[in-house]
Amino acid sequence: MKAVFQSIKTRPVNYVNVVIGVEDGCKPEEGEYSLIITNFLGYLDLTCDNGGDDITLIKECIENEDLEYPKNGELHLVLKESGEWEDVFWNKYYIVDRTCIIEH
């Protein structure tokens, strides 16, 4: 069996576009919003168990960020894949790269 070794530093980085919809009277800080993944560059891993899949990581990113939400509108986010080493394991997470607020 032939193995291919790659450096984490040189591999492609995933980008994910997310739209968070908020209606008047909702409390997005408490999870009252709609979330739509509109586009991504790279791939999304949907198969991990125990919360390591990309959907869970995207939701964790949004919940852990101090975001400014519109009262009635959309918050467009570009998330960038990142991570850090913990011993020999790569802990992947997403960070907010850009934001755009659209009021209705």
Side-chain angles (χ1 to χ4, degrees), residues 33-100:
Y33 57 81
S34 63
L35 185 143
I36 303 167
I37 296 174
T38 59
N39 194 12
F40 57 92
L41 179 62
Y43 66 93
L44 294 179
D45 183 358
L46 305 176
T47 62
C48 291
D49 294 329
N50 301 324
D53 62 283
D54 281 312
I55 301 300
T56 302
L57 297 176
I58 289 167
K59 288 179 68 178
E60 285 177 0
C61 172
I62 292 166
E63 291 169 358
N64 292 330
E65 282 289 323
D66 186 24
L67 298 171
E68 182 180 335
Y69 294 96
K71 291 185 185 240
N72 186 23
E74 298 174 347
L75 175 61
H76 290 241
L77 302 172
V78 176
L79 305 181
K80 178 181 176 182
E81 177 188 355
S82 191
E84 57 190 38
W85 287 104
E86 186 177 308
D87 196 22
V88 296
F89 301 102
W90 179 251
N91 291 321
K92 182 169 92 168
Y93 52 84
Y94 284 89
I95 57 175
V96 175
D97 191 51
R98 295 179 186 188
T99 63
C100 177

